Amino acid sequence: PVIDGVMASGGVGGGTGNGAGQISFSSNGVAIYLPGASSNGAARLVVVDRTGKTLYTHPERRDFRSPRFSPDGKRIAVQFGDGRTNQVFVVDPDRGTTTKVTFDTSAGGSTPVWTPDGRHLAFTADQRGGLNISMTRSDGAGEPEVLTTGPGVAVPGSFSPDGARLAMVRQESGRMQLLVMCLPDKRLVPFRS
């Protein structure tokens, strides 16, 4: 084992959920993780190399969730909770900066996913009748673009290497579906292997 004590989390918004490990790996094998047993409060964001050596520790203790490395492995998209809402931030360990990229306090932002070019993030927000997916610039500029609408919960998974498709999970009325959104027309099609 390289890392012990990786935090597990609840579902979207922090409720009881699937117990997903709060860890992400870059293409060069560096890992970012949240230490701890469960995501029920403040923790530190930690980056380690393949040997377990700590490369970066975020200076603040926060309710961090869903860390994801940018495609180049230099930045980290992460969800911060403040007890009222969740928002998406981008942490740049080399520069020591933390940039807020979602700002709607009523909609919030969670489960960020990078586009292949690292210029945008898809995320889940409480809007348009449910928990839906939007996309925003990773530098925090501009307004988010709403990608899905309607009741239920939609969570982004990953983009295709060319950025033309977004894999996602949608749960509505107790039914879970794995879907692919074809961009830019936002057409949803069932995932087929």
Short mmCIF file of all heavy atoms in Angstrom, two decimals, residues 117-165:
data_model
loop_
_atom_site.label_atom_id
_atom_site.label_comp_id
_atom_site.label_asym_id
_atom_site.label_seq_id
_atom_site.Cartn_x
_atom_site.Cartn_y
_atom_site.Cartn_z
N ASP A 117 -8.93 19.64 -22.59
CA ASP A 117 -7.99 20.74 -22.76
C ASP A 117 -7.75 21.52 -21.46
O ASP A 117 -6.93 22.43 -21.43
CB ASP A 117 -8.44 21.69 -23.87
CG ASP A 117 -9.77 22.37 -23.59
OD1 ASP A 117 -10.30 22.27 -22.45
OD2 ASP A 117 -10.31 23.02 -24.51
N GLY A 118 -8.47 21.19 -20.38
CA GLY A 118 -8.28 21.84 -19.10
C GLY A 118 -8.86 23.24 -19.00
O GLY A 118 -8.67 23.92 -18.01
N ARG A 119 -9.59 23.67 -20.02
CA ARG A 119 -10.13 25.04 -20.03
C ARG A 119 -11.49 25.15 -19.38
O ARG A 119 -11.92 26.24 -19.03
CB ARG A 119 -10.17 25.55 -21.46
CG ARG A 119 -8.76 25.72 -22.02
CD ARG A 119 -8.72 26.07 -23.48
NE ARG A 119 -9.65 27.14 -23.81
CZ ARG A 119 -9.97 27.46 -25.04
NH1 ARG A 119 -9.44 26.82 -26.06
NH2 ARG A 119 -10.82 28.43 -25.28
N HIS A 120 -12.20 24.04 -19.21
CA HIS A 120 -13.55 24.06 -18.64
C HIS A 120 -13.74 22.93 -17.63
O HIS A 120 -13.00 21.94 -17.65
CB HIS A 120 -14.61 23.92 -19.73
CG HIS A 120 -14.66 25.10 -20.64
ND1 HIS A 120 -13.85 25.22 -21.74
CD2 HIS A 120 -15.43 26.22 -20.61
CE1 HIS A 120 -14.11 26.36 -22.37
NE2 HIS A 120 -15.06 26.99 -21.69
N LEU A 121 -14.76 23.08 -16.80
CA LEU A 121 -15.15 22.05 -15.83
C LEU A 121 -16.65 21.82 -15.94
O LEU A 121 -17.43 22.78 -15.97
CB LEU A 121 -14.85 22.51 -14.41
CG LEU A 121 -13.39 22.59 -14.01
CD1 LEU A 121 -13.22 23.48 -12.79
CD2 LEU A 121 -12.86 21.20 -13.73
N ALA A 122 -17.06 20.58 -16.01
CA ALA A 122 -18.47 20.22 -15.87
C ALA A 122 -18.68 19.95 -14.38
O ALA A 122 -17.78 19.46 -13.70
CB ALA A 122 -18.81 18.99 -16.70
N PHE A 123 -19.88 20.26 -13.88
CA PHE A 123 -20.16 20.06 -12.46
C PHE A 123 -21.67 19.91 -12.26
O PHE A 123 -22.47 20.25 -13.15
CB PHE A 123 -19.62 21.23 -11.62
CG PHE A 123 -20.24 22.56 -11.95
CD1 PHE A 123 -21.33 23.04 -11.24
CD2 PHE A 123 -19.75 23.33 -13.00
CE1 PHE A 123 -21.91 24.26 -11.55
CE2 PHE A 123 -20.32 24.55 -13.32
CZ PHE A 123 -21.40 25.02 -12.60
N THR A 124 -22.08 19.41 -11.11
CA THR A 124 -23.48 19.27 -10.76
C THR A 124 -23.90 20.47 -9.92
O THR A 124 -23.17 20.90 -9.03
CB THR A 124 -23.72 17.97 -9.97
OG1 THR A 124 -23.38 16.86 -10.80
CG2 THR A 124 -25.17 17.83 -9.54
N ALA A 125 -25.09 21.01 -10.22
CA ALA A 125 -25.64 22.15 -9.47
C ALA A 125 -27.14 21.97 -9.32
O ALA A 125 -27.80 21.36 -10.17
CB ALA A 125 -25.32 23.46 -10.18
N ASP A 126 -27.70 22.52 -8.26
CA ASP A 126 -29.13 22.46 -7.97
C ASP A 126 -29.83 23.54 -8.79
O ASP A 126 -29.88 24.71 -8.37
CB ASP A 126 -29.38 22.65 -6.47
CG ASP A 126 -30.80 22.37 -6.07
OD1 ASP A 126 -31.62 22.02 -6.94
OD2 ASP A 126 -31.10 22.50 -4.87
N GLN A 127 -30.36 23.15 -9.93
CA GLN A 127 -30.98 24.12 -10.83
C GLN A 127 -31.90 23.43 -11.82
O GLN A 127 -31.81 22.23 -12.02
CB GLN A 127 -29.91 24.89 -11.58
CG GLN A 127 -29.02 23.99 -12.42
CD GLN A 127 -27.82 24.72 -12.97
OE1 GLN A 127 -27.66 25.90 -12.76
NE2 GLN A 127 -26.97 24.01 -13.66
N ARG A 128 -32.76 24.20 -12.42
CA ARG A 128 -33.66 23.73 -13.47
C ARG A 128 -34.46 22.50 -13.07
O ARG A 128 -34.60 21.55 -13.82
CB ARG A 128 -32.89 23.44 -14.76
CG ARG A 128 -32.04 24.60 -15.26
CD ARG A 128 -32.82 25.48 -16.20
NE ARG A 128 -32.07 26.64 -16.59
CZ ARG A 128 -31.76 26.96 -17.82
NH1 ARG A 128 -32.14 26.19 -18.80
NH2 ARG A 128 -31.10 28.05 -18.07
N GLY A 129 -34.95 22.49 -11.81
CA GLY A 129 -35.83 21.42 -11.37
C GLY A 129 -35.18 20.19 -10.79
O GLY A 129 -35.85 19.21 -10.48
N GLY A 130 -33.87 20.19 -10.64
CA GLY A 130 -33.17 19.03 -10.08
C GLY A 130 -31.70 19.33 -9.94
O GLY A 130 -31.26 20.46 -10.10
N LEU A 131 -30.92 18.30 -9.66
CA LEU A 131 -29.47 18.43 -9.65
C LEU A 131 -28.99 18.15 -11.07
O LEU A 131 -29.03 17.01 -11.53
CB LEU A 131 -28.84 17.46 -8.65
CG LEU A 131 -29.11 17.77 -7.19
CD1 LEU A 131 -28.60 16.66 -6.29
CD2 LEU A 131 -28.49 19.10 -6.78
N ASN A 132 -28.61 19.20 -11.78
CA ASN A 132 -28.27 19.10 -13.19
C ASN A 132 -26.82 19.47 -13.44
O ASN A 132 -26.14 20.01 -12.56
CB ASN A 132 -29.21 20.00 -13.99
CG ASN A 132 -30.57 19.37 -14.16
OD1 ASN A 132 -30.70 18.40 -14.90
ND2 ASN A 132 -31.57 19.88 -13.46
N ILE A 133 -26.35 19.20 -14.65
CA ILE A 133 -24.96 19.44 -15.02
C ILE A 133 -24.84 20.76 -15.76
O ILE A 133 -25.63 21.07 -16.66
CB ILE A 133 -24.41 18.29 -15.90
CG1 ILE A 133 -24.45 16.98 -15.14
CG2 ILE A 133 -22.99 18.61 -16.37
CD1 ILE A 133 -24.10 15.77 -15.97
N SER A 134 -23.83 21.54 -15.36
CA SER A 134 -23.46 22.77 -16.05
C SER A 134 -21.97 22.68 -16.38
O SER A 134 -21.26 21.80 -15.88
CB SER A 134 -23.71 24.00 -15.18
OG SER A 134 -25.08 24.23 -15.02
N MET A 135 -21.50 23.62 -17.20
CA MET A 135 -20.08 23.69 -17.53
C MET A 135 -19.65 25.15 -17.42
O MET A 135 -20.39 26.06 -17.81
CB MET A 135 -19.82 23.15 -18.94
CG MET A 135 -18.36 22.95 -19.21
SD MET A 135 -17.99 21.80 -20.57
CE MET A 135 -18.86 22.52 -21.93
N THR A 136 -18.44 25.36 -16.87
CA THR A 136 -17.91 26.71 -16.70
C THR A 136 -16.43 26.73 -17.01
O THR A 136 -15.78 25.68 -17.04
CB THR A 136 -18.18 27.23 -15.26
OG1 THR A 136 -17.97 28.63 -15.22
CG2 THR A 136 -17.31 26.51 -14.24
N ARG A 137 -15.89 27.92 -17.21
CA ARG A 137 -14.46 28.05 -17.45
C ARG A 137 -13.69 27.72 -16.17
O ARG A 137 -14.12 28.05 -15.07
CB ARG A 137 -14.13 29.47 -17.91
CG ARG A 137 -14.58 29.71 -19.32
CD ARG A 137 -14.33 31.11 -19.80
NE ARG A 137 -13.01 31.63 -19.41
CZ ARG A 137 -12.48 32.73 -19.91
NH1 ARG A 137 -13.12 33.40 -20.84
NH2 ARG A 137 -11.31 33.16 -19.49
N SER A 138 -12.55 27.09 -16.31
CA SER A 138 -11.77 26.67 -15.14
C SER A 138 -11.03 27.83 -14.48
O SER A 138 -10.51 27.68 -13.38
CB SER A 138 -10.78 25.56 -15.51
OG SER A 138 -9.85 26.02 -16.48
N ASP A 139 -11.03 29.02 -15.11
CA ASP A 139 -10.42 30.19 -14.48
C ASP A 139 -11.45 31.03 -13.73
O ASP A 139 -11.13 32.07 -13.17
CB ASP A 139 -9.68 31.04 -15.51
CG ASP A 139 -10.57 31.63 -16.59
OD1 ASP A 139 -11.81 31.47 -16.53
OD2 ASP A 139 -10.02 32.26 -17.52
N GLY A 140 -12.72 30.59 -13.73
CA GLY A 140 -13.77 31.28 -13.00
C GLY A 140 -14.43 32.42 -13.75
O GLY A 140 -15.36 33.03 -13.24
N ALA A 141 -13.97 32.72 -14.96
CA ALA A 141 -14.55 33.81 -15.74
C ALA A 141 -15.82 33.36 -16.45
O ALA A 141 -15.98 32.18 -16.76
CB ALA A 141 -13.53 34.32 -16.75
N GLY A 142 -16.71 34.28 -16.72
CA GLY A 142 -17.91 33.99 -17.50
C GLY A 142 -18.99 33.31 -16.69
O GLY A 142 -18.84 33.03 -15.50
N GLU A 143 -20.09 33.05 -17.37
CA GLU A 143 -21.25 32.39 -16.76
C GLU A 143 -21.27 30.92 -17.14
O GLU A 143 -20.93 30.56 -18.26
CB GLU A 143 -22.54 33.05 -17.25
CG GLU A 143 -22.72 34.48 -16.77
CD GLU A 143 -22.89 34.56 -15.26
OE1 GLU A 143 -23.63 33.72 -14.70
OE2 GLU A 143 -22.28 35.45 -14.64
N PRO A 144 -21.73 30.06 -16.23
CA PRO A 144 -21.85 28.63 -16.56
C PRO A 144 -22.89 28.39 -17.65
O PRO A 144 -23.86 29.12 -17.76
CB PRO A 144 -22.30 27.98 -15.25
CG PRO A 144 -22.01 28.97 -14.19
CD PRO A 144 -22.07 30.31 -14.84
N GLU A 145 -22.67 27.34 -18.42
CA GLU A 145 -23.64 26.90 -19.43
C GLU A 145 -24.35 25.67 -18.89
O GLU A 145 -23.71 24.69 -18.49
CB GLU A 145 -22.90 26.53 -20.73
CG GLU A 145 -23.81 25.95 -21.78
CD GLU A 145 -23.06 25.42 -22.99
OE1 GLU A 145 -21.80 25.42 -22.99
OE2 GLU A 145 -23.73 24.99 -23.94
N VAL A 146 -25.68 25.71 -18.85
CA VAL A 146 -26.47 24.58 -18.36
C VAL A 146 -26.50 23.51 -19.45
O VAL A 146 -26.86 23.78 -20.60
CB VAL A 146 -27.90 25.02 -18.00
CG1 VAL A 146 -28.74 23.83 -17.58
CG2 VAL A 146 -27.87 26.07 -16.89
N LEU A 147 -26.12 22.27 -19.09
CA LEU A 147 -26.09 21.17 -20.05
C LEU A 147 -27.30 20.25 -19.93
O LEU A 147 -27.75 19.69 -20.92
CB LEU A 147 -24.81 20.35 -19.89
CG LEU A 147 -23.50 21.08 -20.13
CD1 LEU A 147 -22.32 20.12 -19.95
CD2 LEU A 147 -23.46 21.72 -21.51
N THR A 148 -27.80 20.03 -18.71
CA THR A 148 -28.98 19.16 -18.53
C THR A 148 -30.03 19.91 -17.73
O THR A 148 -29.73 20.84 -16.99
CB THR A 148 -28.63 17.85 -17.78
OG1 THR A 148 -28.22 18.15 -16.44
CG2 THR A 148 -27.55 17.06 -18.50
N THR A 149 -31.28 19.50 -17.88
CA THR A 149 -32.38 20.10 -17.14
C THR A 149 -33.33 19.01 -16.68
O THR A 149 -33.28 17.88 -17.17
CB THR A 149 -33.17 21.10 -18.02
OG1 THR A 149 -33.69 20.42 -19.15
CG2 THR A 149 -32.29 22.25 -18.48
N GLY A 150 -34.19 19.35 -15.75
CA GLY A 150 -35.23 18.43 -15.33
C GLY A 150 -35.01 17.86 -13.95
O GLY A 150 -34.02 18.14 -13.29
N PRO A 151 -35.95 17.02 -13.51
CA PRO A 151 -35.87 16.45 -12.16
C PRO A 151 -34.80 15.37 -12.06
O PRO A 151 -34.25 14.94 -13.06
CB PRO A 151 -37.27 15.84 -11.97
CG PRO A 151 -37.72 15.51 -13.35
CD PRO A 151 -37.13 16.58 -14.24
N GLY A 152 -34.54 14.95 -10.84
CA GLY A 152 -33.57 13.89 -10.62
C GLY A 152 -32.19 14.43 -10.36
O GLY A 152 -32.00 15.60 -10.03
N VAL A 153 -31.20 13.56 -10.52
CA VAL A 153 -29.80 13.89 -10.25
C VAL A 153 -28.96 13.50 -11.46
O VAL A 153 -29.03 12.36 -11.92
CB VAL A 153 -29.27 13.13 -9.01
CG1 VAL A 153 -27.80 13.43 -8.78
CG2 VAL A 153 -30.10 13.47 -7.77
N ALA A 154 -28.19 14.44 -11.99
CA ALA A 154 -27.25 14.17 -13.09
C ALA A 154 -25.84 14.50 -12.60
O ALA A 154 -25.62 15.57 -12.04
CB ALA A 154 -27.60 15.00 -14.31
N VAL A 155 -24.92 13.56 -12.79
CA VAL A 155 -23.55 13.73 -12.31
C VAL A 155 -22.59 13.46 -13.47
O VAL A 155 -22.66 12.39 -14.08
CB VAL A 155 -23.25 12.76 -11.14
CG1 VAL A 155 -21.82 12.93 -10.65
CG2 VAL A 155 -24.24 12.98 -10.01
N PRO A 156 -21.67 14.41 -13.77
CA PRO A 156 -20.71 14.17 -14.85
C PRO A 156 -19.69 13.12 -14.45
O PRO A 156 -19.30 13.02 -13.28
CB PRO A 156 -20.04 15.53 -15.03
CG PRO A 156 -20.16 16.20 -13.69
CD PRO A 156 -21.44 15.69 -13.10
N GLY A 157 -19.24 12.31 -15.43
CA GLY A 157 -18.25 11.28 -15.17
C GLY A 157 -16.91 11.59 -15.80
O GLY A 157 -15.93 11.76 -15.11
N SER A 158 -16.89 11.70 -17.14
CA SER A 158 -15.66 12.04 -17.84
C SER A 158 -15.98 12.44 -19.27
O SER A 158 -17.02 12.07 -19.82
CB SER A 158 -14.68 10.86 -17.84
OG SER A 158 -15.22 9.78 -18.56
N PHE A 159 -15.05 13.19 -19.87
CA PHE A 159 -15.17 13.59 -21.26
C PHE A 159 -14.41 12.62 -22.15
O PHE A 159 -13.42 12.03 -21.72
CB PHE A 159 -14.59 15.00 -21.47
CG PHE A 159 -15.48 16.10 -20.99
CD1 PHE A 159 -15.40 16.57 -19.69
CD2 PHE A 159 -16.40 16.69 -21.84
CE1 PHE A 159 -16.21 17.58 -19.24
CE2 PHE A 159 -17.22 17.70 -21.41
CZ PHE A 159 -17.12 18.16 -20.10
N SER A 160 -14.86 12.48 -23.39
CA SER A 160 -14.10 11.70 -24.37
C SER A 160 -12.81 12.47 -24.66
O SER A 160 -12.72 13.68 -24.42
CB SER A 160 -14.92 11.53 -25.65
OG SER A 160 -15.24 12.79 -26.21
N PRO A 161 -11.75 11.79 -25.15
CA PRO A 161 -10.47 12.47 -25.39
C PRO A 161 -10.57 13.69 -26.30
O PRO A 161 -9.80 14.64 -26.14
CB PRO A 161 -9.60 11.37 -26.02
CG PRO A 161 -10.16 10.10 -25.48
CD PRO A 161 -11.65 10.34 -25.39
N ASP A 162 -11.54 13.70 -27.24
CA ASP A 162 -11.69 14.85 -28.12
C ASP A 162 -12.60 15.92 -27.55
O ASP A 162 -12.80 16.97 -28.16
CB ASP A 162 -12.18 14.42 -29.51
CG ASP A 162 -13.56 13.78 -29.48
OD1 ASP A 162 -14.20 13.71 -28.40
OD2 ASP A 162 -14.01 13.36 -30.57
N GLY A 163 -13.19 15.69 -26.37
CA GLY A 163 -14.06 16.66 -25.73
C GLY A 163 -15.45 16.76 -26.34
O GLY A 163 -16.23 17.62 -25.95
N ALA A 164 -15.78 15.91 -27.28
CA ALA A 164 -17.05 15.99 -27.99
C ALA A 164 -18.20 15.28 -27.26
O ALA A 164 -19.35 15.49 -27.58
CB ALA A 164 -16.91 15.40 -29.40
N ARG A 165 -17.85 14.45 -26.25
CA ARG A 165 -18.89 13.70 -25.53
C ARG A 165 -18.59 13.73 -24.03
O ARG A 165 -17.44 13.74 -23.62
CB ARG A 165 -18.96 12.26 -26.03
CG ARG A 165 -19.45 12.16 -27.46
CD ARG A 165 -19.40 10.74 -28.04
NE ARG A 165 -18.12 10.08 -27.96
CZ ARG A 165 -17.08 10.30 -28.76
NH1 ARG A 165 -17.18 11.18 -29.72
NH2 ARG A 165 -15.95 9.64 -28.63
#
